[in-house]
Amino acid sequence: MPLAAITRAVSPSLNQCELSFIERQPIDVARAIAQHEAYAACLESLGIRVIRLPAAPEFPDGVFVEDPALVLDEIAVITRPGAASRRGEAESLAEALAPFRPLRRIREPGTLEGGDVVRIGRALFVGRSARSNREGMEQLARETAAFGYTVEGVEICSCLHLKSACTYLGRETILANPDWVDLAPLAGCRVIEVARAEPAAADALAIGDTVVLPASFPQTAGLLEQAGWRVMPVDVSELQKAEAGVTCMSVIFEARSSTA
Ligand code: GLY
């Protein structure tokens, strides 16, 4: 099944983005736009069809499309972001995903952001972050139980989302910063630890045997290569000033019709 990715162009208001764990510094928006386009081209070079949504100037964080939607094999869950400024991003994602999956929704008082969800097979691990609450997690469990998914909370600290602290690479292996996540619920997995000098390197985007990783994490790239992965570095330095990771700038899924 071919893969598709939804992306959204960088908002001209990116400098007003939410920030939780990093200091604000000026972002060169033109450079961020160019880096984001190179990121999309990288996905295309991996055989992924990229569906580009136009920028939403009213949403500074709109480029981070992973957070308002979670796409599973059977359904897409339109989330309710914990950051109030981001809640309006969800509707255009819902429209873009409707041709591909039946939609479900996280509703008030639930909050959930896709960056907090790490999927390993039929297990959905959800970071207990400021952005995703217990009610959101319970709603996710209710919507997905019929399809055989389990949902389990994971403690995190010092970072925005669960995926800031660990991502799944395939081959029952996760890339993690163990200082930021309690790995006990993921005990069945082999762990590759990020390089100590690169604490934010755990957000990696695995496509088959290739891992897309920010170019600013060369030591962790080396560790992944030693472990047998091919690494594609992408320069996302301006987007990182908005607390970006490489997973959060796309929603990737098998491109089957919602009526199939
Ligand atoms: N700037 C990314 C976020 O806080 O949602």
Side-chain angles (χ1 to χ4, degrees):
M1 183 75 64
L3 291 179
I6 293 177
T7 64
R8 192 202 307 274
V10 172
S11 170
S13 60
L14 182 63
N15 272 291
Q16 279 78 57
C17 68
E18 297 281 342
L19 290 178
S20 302
F21 290 91
I22 64 173
E23 294 293 317
R24 193 170 295 279
Q25 46 182 319
I27 301 172
D28 180 336
V29 174
R31 197 154 170 244
I33 290 169
Q35 290 177 348
H36 183 256
E37 185 46 41
Y39 166 85
C42 168
L43 298 185
E44 286 173 331
S45 78
L46 294 169
I48 300 173
R49 174 163 70 98
V50 177
I51 300 164
R52 292 169 165 81
L53 304 184
E58 67 277 35
F59 297 120
D61 285 295
V63 65
F64 304 127
V65 286
E66 174 179 65
D67 295 320
L70 171 69
V71 183
L72 301 174
D73 298 343
E74 303 83 2
I75 55 172
V77 179
I78 305 305
T79 73
R80 182 169 178 270
S85 69
R86 302 201 54 190
R87 294 204 180 127
E89 296 170 25
E91 220 33 61
S92 53
L93 261 292
E95 279 170 31
L97 285 166
F100 297 103
R101 296 290 189 280
L103 303 182
R104 303 286 190 273
R105 289 178 191 271
I106 301 298
R107 299 184 190 280
E108 192 174 3
T111 65
L112 185 76
E113 295 194 0
D116 271 322
V117 184
V118 170
R119 177 186 170 182
I120 303 179
R122 296 268 142 181
L124 302 175
F125 296 95
V126 181
R128 296 189 200 278
S129 76
R131 300 290 183 87
S132 298
N133 66 13
R134 175 182 294 273
E135 177 64 28
M137 206 165 76
E138 288 172 357
Q139 290 182 31
L140 179 66
R142 282 199 292 275
E143 295 293 357
T144 59
F147 305 107
Y149 293 91
T150 59
V151 173
E152 188 170 358
V154 181
E155 299 298 333
I156 63 169
C157 63
S158 309
C159 63
L160 179 56
H161 287 130
L162 176 58
K163 281 193 184 126
S164 316
C166 73
T167 49
Y168 184 59
L169 302 177
R171 299 190 224 159
E172 292 170 355
T173 303
I174 56 175
L175 176 65
N177 175 346
D179 292 339
W180 289 358
V181 58
D182 173 10
L183 291 170
L186 298 142
C189 283
R190 168 187 173 213
V191 178
I192 299 177
E193 293 190 13
V194 299
R196 284 214 77 78
E198 298 171 351
D203 185 281
L205 180 59
I207 309 289
D209 285 339
T210 300
V211 175
V212 179
L213 192 73
S216 54
F217 304 132
Q219 293 182 30
T220 302
L223 296 172
L224 290 168
E225 283 167 350
Q226 278 170 26
W229 272 268
R230 181 174 77 120
V231 177
M232 283 188 79
V234 289
D235 180 2
V236 288
S237 55
E238 291 304 310
L239 295 147
Q240 284 170 307
K241 294 177 187 171
E243 219 161 356
V246 282
T247 62
C248 64
M249 294 185 285
S250 56
V251 186
I252 298 179
F253 53 92
E254 290 186 355
R256 79 172 68 87
S257 154
S258 57
T259 54

